Amino acid sequence: GVGMIAAGQCDVVVAGGVELMSDVPIRHSRKMRKTMLTLNRAKTLGQKLSLISKIRPDYFAPELPAVAEFSTSETMGHSADRLAAAFGVSRHEQDEYALRSHTLAKKAQDEGLLQDVVPFKVPGKDTVTKDNGIRPSSMEQMGKLKPAFVKPYGTVTAANSSFLTDGASAMLIMSEEKALAMGYKPKAYLRDFVYVSQDPKDQLLLGPTYATPKVLEKAGLTLSDIDVFEFHEAFAGQILANLKAMDSDWFAQNYMGRKSKVGAPPLDKFNTWGGSLSLGHPFGATGCRLVITAAHRLKKEGGQYGLVAACAAGGQGHAMIVERYPQ
């Protein structure tokens, strides 16, 4: 949207997304799909009956939904487990980080900081007025959970993964001149953004590591210039692996073609109102949530620059610089 405005293609853009993870499509098996498509092209009754006669009981077995990477067919949980192992991120570290996310989200919610939730009436149920996945637990309770993906020795569990949830978000984007002419008071400037891609198997979730130094260089900033960090928390292991990769000269030199590391963001500036681990991750809606949280934190804390980053399917990554609008 920002790119279209900068290119003169648009004056005003509404950017957003929605995800309904509680009612995902469940597909027929590939054999059944192929038969149904062929059946659709059959012209005579004889051809149709011939195709129907070839259907076997196992054709009716559905393909159960999974958050899987299209190019490798590996679930993202398996990718997170391998990534955590590669960077030596322990189960204890992951549980600690997940507990941090839920604790900070609960504190932000109690203080009225998560103010952009629009009440929604769920048919047959109560109206949802706030994020309802925030559940601070204890290290002891989290430690009792079994590995969710790599069994029995994996470290990724239901407690240190982002949970699947329903959600929608939208953002109004325009030039400063257009906003003021229309009587709007901007929340923040979107200053710069980059997209990156890397190996979709071993580095599927390392997008923030690759994107962060590029967007900083593009904006003429350094890590120390950033007051607010908002990174997507797909898994605690994914976040911690990214922080370790960003703080590694060896990784920068051997994988990124850089002379030195960009450095890890300080945790006292990092996702301090919670993140996807505690707020949920409806895929299509998370991007707006990250950006607007960064804008609100800059206003609340008086900082100037925020850095938003996320990993994405296909081994992609994204980073954006947000600047506080002078109030």
Side-chain angles (χ1 to χ4, degrees):
V2 173
M4 291 171 75
I5 291 171
Q9 294 291 317
C10 298
D11 290 325
V12 179
V13 175
V14 175
V18 61
E19 213 72 61
L20 201 64
M21 304 304 295
S22 65
D23 189 20
V24 295
I26 296 178
R27 303 189 302 182
H28 281 290
S29 67
R30 184 178 293 274
K31 292 177 183 177
M32 191 63 172
R33 296 200 303 272
K34 187 176 180 181
T35 301
M36 292 167 74
L37 287 169
T38 308
L39 189 63
N40 198 43
R41 295 193 296 269
K43 292 182 172 59
T44 69
L45 180 60
Q47 289 175 331
K48 292 180 180 179
L49 290 174
S50 175
L51 284 166
I52 291 172
S53 70
K54 295 177 182 178
I55 295 175
R56 298 291 178 264
D58 66 316
Y59 282 31
F60 293 97
E63 286 187 2
L64 297 178
V67 182
E69 167 56 31
F70 183 80
S71 57
T72 64
S73 297
E74 184 178 57
T75 66
M76 288 191 180
H78 280 88
S79 298
D81 235 325
R82 288 192 300 102
L83 190 65
F87 282 89
V89 181
S90 70
R91 164 76 180 269
H92 185 81
E93 287 177 294
Q94 293 174 59
D95 286 352
E96 270 189 335
Y97 184 87
L99 181 58
R100 171 190 186 270
S101 182
H102 280 272
T103 302
L104 290 174
K106 181 69 166 65
K107 183 174 183 288
Q109 192 175 65
D110 290 345
E111 292 176 359
L113 300 176
L114 307 180
Q115 57 187 277
D116 277 310
V117 179
V118 178
F120 184 82
K121 178 68 175 73
V122 180
K125 297 186 178 181
D126 295 334
T127 299
V128 177
T129 59
K130 61 182 181 180
D131 290 302
N132 53 17
I134 301 172
R135 298 186 182 95
S137 182
S138 68
M139 290 294 290
E140 291 73 26
Q141 288 175 305
M142 296 168 74
K144 294 176 183 177
L145 295 180
K146 294 181 179 180
F149 301 100
V150 179
K151 303 172 183 179
Y153 303 114
T155 56
V156 175
T157 71
N160 57 41
S161 308
S162 59
F163 57 96
L164 300 178
T165 183
D166 298 342
S169 65
M171 182 181 291
L172 186 61
I173 309 170
M174 60 188 82
S175 68
E176 180 182 23
E177 294 77 17
K178 184 72 174 178
L180 296 178
M182 295 181 69
Y184 289 112
K185 186 176 182 180
K187 287 180 180 288
Y189 296 109
L190 300 180
R191 283 302 190 194
D192 255 310
F193 63 92
V194 297
Y195 289 95
V196 297
S197 293
Q198 57 279 341
D199 177 13
K201 184 169 177 62
D202 292 326
Q203 299 187 359
L204 175 66
L205 305 171
L206 284 179
T209 297
Y210 283 83
T212 294
K214 289 194 174 187
V215 80
L216 287 173
E217 288 172 357
K218 193 177 178 191
L221 300 171
T222 65
L223 202 72
S224 60
D225 293 320
I226 305 301
D227 304 294
V228 161
F229 294 88
E230 283 293 327
F231 280 30
H232 166 48
E233 299 171 346
F235 303 88
Q238 161 260 339
I239 279 289
L240 295 172
N242 271 279
L243 296 183
K244 289 193 176 189
M246 293 171 72
D247 207 30
S248 168
D249 281 323
W250 183 88
F251 188 86
Q253 292 161 5
N254 287 275
Y255 284 95
M256 300 173 66
R258 307 183 67 84
K259 293 181 179 179
S260 60
K261 64 188 181 184
V262 66
L267 281 182
D268 61 346
K269 297 179 179 180
F270 192 86
N271 292 14
T272 57
W273 291 3
S276 301
L277 286 169
S278 46
L279 301 172
H281 177 36
F283 297 168
T286 295
C288 290
R289 201 267 306 160
L290 289 168
V291 174
I292 211 65
T293 300
H296 284 311
R297 282 184 56 200
L298 286 170
K299 181 180 178 182
K300 176 75 174 175
E301 299 166 17
Q304 184 175 3
Y305 293 111
L307 196 155
V308 176
C311 52
Q316 298 179 71
H318 167 259
M320 176 182 284
I321 298 293
V322 181
E323 184 176 1
R324 178 170 63 93
Y325 188 80
Q327 304 301 321

